[in-house]
DNA sequence: GATAAATTAAGTCAGGTGATTGACTTAGAG
DNA sequence: CTCTAAGTCAATCACCTGACTTAATTTATC
């Protein structure tokens, strides 16, 4: 079982080809604007049904792309999490939240398409659920939430949930913006993914620690 | 010429019917997942080409929807702007930025679809440009930017641009989240649009005033 | 009232879509 | 070497799409 057979190598190469082609087309033209046929062709598969064979429906393909990246993001997050264990500094936990995704994008090299893909999927009424399922299963994310809770014990639960959503939106869409700018050769506010993560971290820390104006409840 | 003729009334009623139906379908099922045919039918037009007749392509329809709301948002913004003129309190300018959209959604009554529509359009690679064109032409937005600049003169231009983007994403996507929750009868962190705007304002103020960690530039 | 123009209705068209099918190719077990 | 099963290819299906054409309806103006 140790050595993959030639056959298995080829199949997994084909799958990878499809995943990469789909990710690029989805990011550039829109997930729903691209047909499975176009993906198959872009992946060099003469078969117009290659996507259907290997993945099933388009939602399944989207899930496969998300999962592929999530694995790598998760491992980066686990590494950062090890360094933050026990910390009472909000910044440490925010870094665990912010850096994994951007660091992953940096590792992918240029150009990337994953951030734009994520931004689309997360705003689509039907695909959104897929993304939530794939990302919320992460146990390390739960640890980060708990770490932040310990740093900010007096923050109301509602506000905590609200600001968690905000952080998620900020990370995903700012990464997508930067990715788009890189693809278009448009100037970016930050020179590198690492610097972008720093700028994002500054803001997310401020966000979590912001005073809460009481509302007429 | 003063009184609208019966004919003009009917036409504009039909256009409004189409705009409303499109907005709802787009928000619920996705802009690209809904065909012009389905919009025409949902608007009660026997003609499957009603959208084409009144608006042209789907991009034109999207633009018309955006513009319709933008007019109202703009008037609310102008009102708030009058009260903030000359202020050196970041909060005043942030309110000018945050409240108009959410207040507009509150005025629309329940249910609304505009926020989800915006979130989708702003993340789509081809429709995004339409939204930018429609919203960035607002002169009042420029005034808010200048007001914030006067409050935060030492903030680097790059960081200013970066945080402007962040505020935009936060407003649009948090509004969409809340709208979705209301539509699904899911609990929301805030009881009203006004309270949601307060929570958003707390965060956006903290964001603009957050210290900037120097990067190795 | 009659007429011309604009709106709505209804039908048609070529093209693209997902899904299914069967034939062909190839790796690996007996 | 042969056989089997998985992967690939190519063709086909019914369906939906946007665009177009034609007819019916309605209204403003003469």
């Amino acid at each position: 079982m140790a050595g993959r057979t030639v056959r298995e190598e080829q199949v997994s190469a084909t799958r990878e080809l499809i995943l990469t082609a789909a990710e690029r087309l989805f990011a550039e033209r829109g997930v729903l604007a691209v047909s499975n046929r176009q993906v198959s062709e872009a992946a060099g598969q003469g078969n117009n049904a290659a996507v259907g064979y290997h993945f099933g429906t388009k939602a399944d393909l989207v899930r496969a792309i998300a999962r592929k990246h999530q694995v790598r993001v998760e491992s980066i997050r686990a590494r950062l999490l090890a360094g933050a264990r026990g910390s009472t500094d909000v910044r440490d936990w925010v870094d665990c939240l912010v850096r994994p995704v951007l660091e992953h994008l940096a590792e992918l090299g240029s150009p990337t398409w994953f951030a734009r893909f994520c931004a689309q999927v997360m705003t689509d009424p039907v695909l959104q659920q897929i993304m939530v399922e794939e990302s919320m299963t992460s146990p390390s994310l739960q640890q980060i939430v708990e770490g932040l809770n310990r740093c900010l014990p007096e923050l109301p639960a509602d506000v905590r949930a609200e600001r968690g959503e905000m952080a998620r939106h900020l990370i995903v869409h700012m990464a997508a913006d930067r990715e788009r700018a890189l693809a278009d050769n448009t100037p970016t506010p930050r020179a590198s993914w690492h610097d972008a993560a720093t700028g994002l971290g500054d803001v997310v820390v401020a966000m979590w620690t912001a005073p809460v104006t009481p509302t007429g409840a």
Side-chain angles (χ1 to χ4, degrees), chain A residues 10-216:
Chain A
Q10 286 184 344
V11 170
S12 109
T14 301
R15 283 178 56 103
E16 196 61 28
L17 234 46
I18 293 176
L19 284 177
T20 312
E23 187 179 317
R24 191 185 71 238
L25 289 180
F26 287 169
E28 290 175 349
R29 301 190 209 162
V31 175
L32 274 119
V34 174
S35 69
N36 288 352
R37 270 179 141 84
Q38 292 170 320
V39 172
S40 294
E41 285 172 13
Q45 302 297 300
N47 184 7
N48 65 27
V51 168
Y53 182 80
H54 285 282
F55 296 96
T57 145
K58 175 150 21 183
D60 296 325
L61 177 56
V62 167
R63 177 175 277 110
I65 295 173
R67 189 166 296 168
K68 180 181 105 176
H69 289 276
Q70 212 59 44
V71 171
R72 310 222 32 197
V73 172
E74 190 69 16
S75 82
I76 300 175
R77 187 151 43 209
R79 175 164 53 77
L80 291 184
L81 207 52
R85 193 170 307 283
S87 169
T88 54
D89 183 355
V90 175
R91 181 82 197 202
D92 289 334
W93 298 104
V94 165
D95 277 344
C96 289
L97 209 57
V98 170
R99 301 214 103 97
V101 177
L102 302 214
E103 199 169 307
H104 173 57
L105 288 166
E107 286 176 358
L108 287 173
S110 191
T112 58
W113 299 278
F114 180 57
R116 285 169 285 173
F117 166 82
C118 280
Q120 280 181 64
V121 172
M122 285 200 41
T123 50
D124 185 276
V126 0
L127 298 177
Q128 191 184 39
Q129 196 177 349
I130 295 176
M131 210 55 163
V132 172
E133 288 169 10
E134 286 301 317
S135 63
M136 289 313 168
T137 54
S138 155
S140 59
L141 257 181
Q142 187 57 34
Q143 287 185 271
I144 296 173
V145 170
E146 288 167 9
L148 280 168
N149 287 359
R150 278 194 298 272
C151 295
L152 305 159
E154 77 288 358
L155 208 59
D158 282 349
V159 176
R160 241 200 277 277
E162 190 180 38
R163 294 183 178 179
E165 278 186 66
M166 290 180 183
R168 185 169 48 89
H169 285 308
L170 237 33
I171 295 168
V172 171
H173 291 103
M174 289 306 290
D177 276 357
R178 186 178 147 81
E179 188 181 273
R180 215 183 329 266
L182 290 175
D184 300 347
N185 268 323
T186 298
T188 56
R190 303 280 178 165
S192 66
W193 284 109
H194 188 268
D195 288 356
T198 303
L200 210 40
D202 287 349
V203 164
V204 174
V205 167
M207 197 185 83
W208 277 106
T209 55
V212 180
T213 301
T215 54

